Amino acid sequence: MFPLHQRLTRYAPHLVAWLMLSTVGCVLLARLELGQLRDAFETDARISHRLLSQRAVQHDAVLATLGLLQPGGAEAAEQRLSSVYPQILGVQRRDPGTAWPNAALDAAEQASRLARSAALANLDFTAERARYQLVLAAQPASFALLIDVQASVPWNDWSMPVQTSPVRVTLEHAGQAFVVQPGRIGDGGWRFEFHKHLASASQPFDVVAIRQVGWQELPWAFMLLWVVGVACGVVAWSAWQGQRSARRRAEELLRVGQVARLNTLGELAAGMAHELNQPLTAILANTQAAKRLLQDDPPELSTACQAMDQAVAQARRAAEVLARLRRTVEQPSSAQPDEAVDLEAVVRNALDLLEPELRRRDVTATVKAAQSVRVHAERVALEQIVHNLLTNALQALDQVPAGERQLTIHIAVEEGAGVLRVVDSGPGIAPDILPRVFEPFFTTREGGLGLGLSLCETLAVGMGGQLLAQAHAPRGAQFILSLPLAPAP
Ligand code: ADP
């Protein structure tokens, strides 16, 4: 398994995407809910304002009617007012030549006379029964209504449940406030406010509605659902991505494998020439000797037989070499033109392809590139060299305990060439076999063909470069590939 920090790095983009999508979704859901709560609040506040305004206007109308009914009709109306309008606790009149019982009513009558409409007096919102008086200066008598504020509220038409509604509604005037509906006002969260004066010039009370929305009122269930939904989406997306890159990796490996087989063909041909040369020479020598021995008089049958046996053995060896060739080669070759290739990109691509191998062996590959190095090379051949060197290093690392496996790839420019070093902490290469590792068919691996490094060297030399093997202190092996730098663009 990968260490925790590596897994975190791998899944960091998914985590960030999940966090961002979750946050954006939750903020939108919260805003939607707050918007709906605000709309509902404003509708309720406007209805309250309209209902209270209607009552205030009614008081103005009652007073105006009393003023108009006199002389004669006002007395009868005064008697019946309280039964029709329960909020009107009483009616007072000041006939010409008499005085109001208190100076406030005098002042209000003065104000009413000047304004030609009713005026307020003796407002007391703090009394046990909140009340105020409304005075209208008229001829011959002036009138004053005593109004009960609580009874002025049209409870039958009220749009909110008074005791349980979270909205607080107050009537405010001249520093006094009458609580129409207590509401629930807590700390924190969001506060909606509504202020509007009653639509009556004589009773310009401010209708104040307040709604405090607490954090607990946010749509947590939907938000949780969204967060879980996004997590599922990200996991599904990540799985799909994983499948896609596994497919891409498999295709790429197939391509590299095919190219490897193509190049191996050339290498194999060279190896075969080398391998077949010796048995063919021996067969030739043995058959010529046998011919001579048979022509002798008397013919040397037993020695001729021995020579023929040796020829047969050599022919068998040659046939074996050819069988190996047939097993290995399946595809024809094709060469690519040289181009400017970025060494680090090739290395990263190869590491990406080998990612499952690295993971399986618990190997972390480190790429150290001081600068970007572009070499003049045949891309596919370079890819194959890098792939082979990394595969060899991984096979070498199999032979040491998991905790000691290190693979480092250095990229640099040295002495005017692009240099790639593949360094592993494996068992290294014994000094006696170091000179032989590039020989065709030289292998120490069970099931190895011994053509990988020899092919890599041929390809490197073919591109004007070279490939060297060295021991690496304190342990392990390093393979150094140098290639000509690509001309500056
Ligand atoms: P194969 O992998 O089929 O054996 P190669 O040509 O790739 O053929 O390698 C030849 C030999 O070189 C290997 O069998 C091994 O002994 C040696 N070798 C290659 N790479 C390494 C390495 N990184 N560490 C140690 N030995 C190596």
Side-chain angles (χ1 to χ4, degrees), residues 392-393 396 424 428-429 437 442-445 448-453 477 479:
N392 277 356
D424 65 67
I429 310 171
V437 290
F442 173 81
T443 179
T444 58
R445 276 196 314 113
L449 199 59
L451 281 173
L453 283 178
F479 285 82

Side-chain angles (χ1 to χ4, degrees), residues 427-435:
I429 310 171
D432 54 324
I433 63 167
L434 189 60

Side-chain angles (χ1 to χ4, degrees), residues 171-474:
L171 275 179
E172 296 181 9
H173 187 71
Q176 296 190 48
F178 170 75
V179 178
V180 180
Q181 174 173 296
R184 273 195 319 270
I185 305 296
D187 287 332
W190 297 261
R191 178 179 278 240
F192 306 148
E193 288 197 19
F194 173 92
H195 289 263
K196 198 167 180 187
H197 286 101
L198 289 184
S200 157
S202 62
Q203 299 141 87
F205 306 143
D206 196 6
V207 178
V208 179
I210 297 177
R211 165 84 157 95
Q212 185 87 25
V213 178
W215 288 95
Q216 73 283 359
E217 290 186 67
L218 291 183
W220 292 110
F222 285 115
M223 279 150 74
L224 186 71
L225 214 66
W226 169 254
V227 169
V228 172
V230 169
C232 292
V234 169
V235 168
W237 174 68
S238 153
W240 175 73
Q241 286 276 60
Q243 270 179 7
R244 223 173 57 139
S245 68
R247 201 169 47 236
R248 192 180 50 77
R249 193 175 283 130
E251 284 167 7
E252 187 76 344
L253 274 175
L254 194 71
R255 186 183 66 83
V256 171
Q258 274 174 355
V259 172
R261 272 201 302 277
L262 301 182
N263 286 330
T264 307
L265 176 64
E267 196 58 24
L268 213 54
M272 289 300 142
H274 170 82
E275 291 270 309
L276 291 177
N277 193 35
Q278 202 245 336
L280 285 176
T281 314
I283 291 169
L284 192 66
N286 279 312
T287 46
Q288 279 174 345
K291 187 180 170 198
R292 261 200 319 276
L293 290 167
L294 290 173
Q295 284 168 346
D296 279 357
D297 196 19
E300 288 247 15
L301 283 179
S302 72
T303 324
C305 264
Q306 276 174 14
M308 286 310 287
D309 282 345
Q310 278 186 13
V312 168
Q314 293 298 339
R316 285 221 172 93
R317 212 183 113 197
E320 219 172 86
V321 171
L322 286 173
R324 226 180 330 163
L325 171 73
R326 220 185 6 253
R327 277 201 300 276
T328 314
V329 185
E330 280 167 8
Q331 305 262 339
S333 168
S334 71
Q336 304 281 316
D338 282 358
E339 55 182 311
V341 190
D342 184 71
L343 268 185
E344 189 177 345
V346 171
V347 169
R348 296 229 180 255
N349 191 33
L351 285 175
D352 186 42
L353 288 180
L354 290 170
E355 200 259 351
E357 298 292 313
L358 290 159
R359 192 152 19 123
R360 192 162 58 78
R361 295 175 165 89
D362 201 4
V363 174
T364 311
T366 314
V367 180
K368 293 189 174 169
Q371 65 195 99
S372 150
V373 179
R374 291 167 72 77
V375 292
H376 186 64
E378 185 190 322
R379 177 183 295 278
V380 179
L382 178 55
E383 281 173 356
Q384 193 180 354
I385 297 176
V386 174
H387 192 268
N388 273 356
L389 295 182
L390 292 175
T391 309
N392 277 356
L394 286 181
Q395 283 163 352
L397 287 175
D398 276 346
Q399 298 167 44
V400 295
E404 298 171 20
R405 296 174 184 168
Q406 280 168 20
L407 175 59
T408 314
I409 299 108
H410 301 265
I411 295 168
V413 173
E414 289 174 20
E415 295 170 7
V419 175
L420 174 88
R421 289 167 195 269
V422 178
V423 182
D424 65 67
S425 60
I429 310 171
D432 54 324
I433 63 167
L434 189 60
R436 301 189 56 201
V437 290
F438 293 111
E439 277 179 23
F441 302 112
F442 173 81
T443 179
T444 58
R445 276 196 314 113
E446 201 180 321
L449 199 59
L451 281 173
L453 283 178
S454 115
L455 169 62
C456 289
E457 191 192 29
T458 310
L459 290 174
V461 172
M463 292 188 284
Q466 62 171 358
L467 180 62
L468 300 174
Q470 279 180 6
H472 182 256

